[in-house]
Amino acid sequence: MSIKKMTTLAMFTVIALTIFVIESAIPLPVPIPGIKLGLANIITLIVLLNYGPVEALLVLMCRIFLGTMFTGQAMSLLYSLCGGILCLIAMILVNRLLNGHFVFLTSMFGALIHNIGQLAVAYFITATAGVFAYLPFLILSGVLTGLFTGLCAHYTQKYLIPHMKKQTD
């Protein structure tokens, strides 16, 4: 891996981590646990689109582990790992299926699978099927937040990335 690529991925990791830490400090707008915008996923999606799945996984793992340490939420590590990895896998598959088009759909599917992964972890930890009562709310929130983060990634991709490439040429 070149120094330039490593530096760029480190920059994306810092941006994602900063977004994650700030978002974790904001109180939840809804009374349902686990629902948040997932703004750091914008960066994961941008890295996936511009660099590929391996690089997106590296940025995601660094963000999850460092974010867990910085926010002091050790219990959320398992939820974040499961949700994040499943989300990334879903985004890779949907992105390939759609040939890189419709970034918002890629993000929406990723958000849905992320929420399902977190519910699976909750079920595994609690051994209570009642956690699946959250599923309709998490599906709705996954669609809405995935649409929002997907549109953010699309417009960032459209305007920021070409500008970055001009400066490096």
Side-chain angles (χ1 to χ4, degrees):
M1 181 181 304
S2 71
I3 298 294
K4 180 180 175 182
K5 184 176 182 181
M6 192 181 316
T7 304
T8 304
L9 292 176
M11 177 194 69
F12 279 122
T13 301
V14 168
I15 293 168
L17 184 59
T18 303
I19 292 169
F20 176 80
V21 170
I22 290 170
E23 188 177 7
S24 69
I26 298 171
L28 295 175
V30 291
I32 300 170
I35 292 181
K36 65 179 192 172
L37 282 174
L39 296 174
N41 201 43
I42 295 167
I43 306 302
T44 305
L45 190 51
I46 289 170
V47 173
L48 174 64
L49 295 171
N50 290 284
Y51 293 96
V54 172
E55 291 82 357
L57 180 64
L58 286 171
V59 170
L60 177 69
M61 291 294 102
C62 288
R63 177 186 48 90
I64 288 172
F65 284 111
L66 291 172
T68 301
M69 288 192 319
F70 290 161
T71 59
Q73 299 172 354
M75 186 59 193
S76 69
L77 179 63
L78 191 57
Y79 290 99
S80 295
L81 276 174
C82 185
I85 291 170
L86 289 176
C87 172
L88 181 59
I89 291 169
M91 290 193 309
I92 291 167
L93 294 174
V94 172
N95 188 51
R96 285 187 182 158
L97 181 69
L98 299 175
N99 295 320
H101 301 293
F102 306 108
V103 175
F104 67 94
L105 287 175
T106 301
S107 180
M108 288 168 62
F109 276 99
L112 287 171
I113 298 302
H114 183 277
N115 288 344
I116 290 169
Q118 289 192 323
L119 272 181
V121 170
Y123 175 73
F124 177 74
I125 289 173
T126 64
T128 305
V131 297
F132 292 107
Y134 285 117
L135 189 59
F137 301 107
L138 293 178
I139 288 173
L140 178 62
S141 76
V143 168
L144 295 176
T145 60
L147 175 63
F148 179 74
T149 57
L151 290 173
C152 289
H154 170 75
Y155 286 108
T156 301
Q157 175 82 1
K158 186 175 179 179
Y159 295 109
L160 177 66
I161 301 303
H163 178 70
M164 287 175 54
K165 288 182 181 178
K166 284 181 195 174
Q167 288 184 349
T168 59
D169 291 340

